[in-house]
Amino acid sequence: WLKPPSPGVATSLLPSATMKLNIANPTTGCQKVYEIEDDKKLLPFFDKRMGAEVTGDTLGDEFKGYIFKIGGGNDKQGFPMKQGILCNHRVRLLFKKGMSCFRERRKGCRKRKSVRGCVVGPDLATLSLVLIKKGDEELPGLTDDSRPRRLGPKRASHIRKLFALEKKDDVRKFVVRRDVGKKSKAPKIQRLVTPQMLQRKRYYRSQTRKKMVLGKQLKEEYHKRLSEYKHEQKEARAAEVAKKKKHTK
């Protein structure tokens, strides 16, 4: 890729040396974009797959001791990298609901789309990295600042995990509220076990049990009536045969 373009080849089709590194720090909630113009600094990232951990020593002196995990990226045309595609170029895949890089527009709809492989190469425009281990020096705007999450957890088990609660504790007293003008808002707790929910569950189970018992009774009655019908048919045929024999004599 470092060779000069041959005559007749458009320079816009060749990958440029500049690559943006979008580094996210989960512990502080900050993220920052770095533009790297030197290909030699990016060499340790090339031919690595998504999810691989790479040291940041080659990026500069301020990155010494840092370890990053490759989270994804986009190529020059904006096609996203997809985990599991072991190549460093674009492929066309048939997507359906539940697959990454695809959002279902209509129920049951499938679509063939172009995505980039999960192997890092020089044709990427943006590479997403996640900070795994912090180095000696601080990175301004990434490790020296802290941005707390605007919203707290919503699911009951996540709230228990955040505040180290036990099952007997009331989760509703620990919901993270946020101020909106003069009022404060709290999210609706998901998967909260309440007496009404337990009563509804017991009701559904009792209804299912009743249906099973009723179905069993109806099945027994059906088989009983079927055997009676077969016996009646057998007797009717026997009577008809006896009647024919009587007439032939």
Side-chain angles (χ1 to χ4, degrees), residues 229-244:
Y229 175 74
K230 286 182 178 179
H231 187 64
E232 289 171 5
Q233 291 290 318
K234 196 174 182 181
E235 286 180 350
R237 279 197 300 272
E240 195 174 342
V241 170
K243 190 176 178 183
K244 284 181 180 178

Side-chain angles (χ1 to χ4, degrees), residues 35-80:
E35 284 198 15
I36 309 295
E37 296 184 358
D38 190 2
D39 265 354
K40 292 179 182 177
K41 293 182 178 180
L42 300 169
L43 284 176
F45 293 92
F46 292 165
D47 298 328
K48 294 286 195 304
R49 289 163 54 183
M50 284 174 62
E53 294 184 1
V54 186
T55 57
D57 298 344
T58 57
L59 297 176
D61 294 334
E62 67 271 21
F63 291 96
K64 279 200 173 163
Y66 281 84
I67 296 178
F68 301 105
K69 185 175 81 171
I70 299 172
N74 297 80
D75 64 4
K76 296 284 192 291
Q77 286 74 35
F79 291 95

Side-chain angles (χ1 to χ4, degrees), residues 177-227:
R177 305 184 70 91
R178 60 190 179 94
D179 295 326
V180 182
K182 297 179 181 178
K183 298 186 294 181
S184 66
K185 292 179 74 174
K188 182 184 176 184
I189 303 173
Q190 303 296 316
R191 303 187 189 182
L192 180 65
V193 180
T194 59
Q196 291 88 348
M197 192 270 283
L198 294 174
Q199 175 60 35
R200 196 181 304 122
K201 196 174 182 179
R202 286 194 294 269
Y203 172 73
Y204 287 147
R205 284 189 174 176
S206 65
Q207 291 293 105
T208 307
R209 209 174 293 116
K210 284 179 184 176
K211 286 179 183 178
M212 288 173 67
V213 171
L214 181 63
K216 201 173 181 181
Q217 289 176 357
L218 292 172
K219 189 177 180 181
E220 288 175 358
E221 289 175 8
Y222 169 74
H223 284 297
K224 185 180 177 183
R225 180 70 190 97
L226 187 64
S227 61

Side-chain angles (χ1 to χ4, degrees), residues 152-156 158-177 186-187 189 192:
K154 194 174 182 182
R155 192 183 297 179
H158 292 174
I159 297 172
R160 285 196 192 95
K161 185 180 178 183
L162 179 65
F163 294 102
L165 303 177
E166 296 179 357
K167 273 206 168 183
K168 61 184 179 181
D169 296 325
D170 190 5
V171 180
R172 288 171 287 193
K173 295 178 182 177
F174 294 89
V175 180
V176 179
R177 305 184 70 91
I189 303 173
L192 180 65

Side-chain angles (χ1 to χ4, degrees), residues 1-12:
W1 295 103
L2 300 177
K3 292 180 181 178
S6 57
V9 178
T11 53
S12 59

Side-chain angles (χ1 to χ4, degrees), residues 87-201:
C87 62
N88 59 354
H89 53 82
R90 282 203 296 267
V91 291
R92 282 178 63 80
L93 299 177
L94 189 64
F95 285 83
K96 64 177 183 178
K97 185 182 178 183
M99 296 175 71
S100 60
C101 305
F102 176 70
R103 182 167 60 89
E104 189 184 44
R105 261 63 172 191
R106 295 178 64 183
K107 189 176 179 182
C109 176
R110 297 189 301 167
K111 188 177 182 182
R112 192 172 293 280
K113 286 183 64 178
S114 291
V115 286
R116 171 65 165 65
C118 69
V119 180
V120 179
D123 62 321
L124 293 179
T126 309
L127 188 65
S128 300
L129 304 175
V130 181
L131 182 63
I132 300 296
K133 184 184 173 186
K134 187 183 170 186
D136 302 329
E137 293 186 26
E138 295 281 349
L139 294 175
L142 190 65
T143 58
D144 59 348
D145 195 8
S146 179
R147 290 190 180 182
R149 291 177 60 183
R150 191 176 67 92
L151 302 175
K154 194 174 182 182
R155 192 183 297 179
S157 60
H158 292 174
I159 297 172
R160 285 196 192 95
K161 185 180 178 183
L162 179 65
F163 294 102
L165 303 177
E166 296 179 357
K167 273 206 168 183
K168 61 184 179 181
D169 296 325
D170 190 5
V171 180
R172 288 171 287 193
K173 295 178 182 177
F174 294 89
V175 180
V176 179
R177 305 184 70 91
R178 60 190 179 94
D179 295 326
V180 182
K182 297 179 181 178
K183 298 186 294 181
S184 66
K185 292 179 74 174
K188 182 184 176 184
I189 303 173
Q190 303 296 316
R191 303 187 189 182
L192 180 65
V193 180
T194 59
Q196 291 88 348
M197 192 270 283
L198 294 174
Q199 175 60 35
R200 196 181 304 122
K201 196 174 182 179

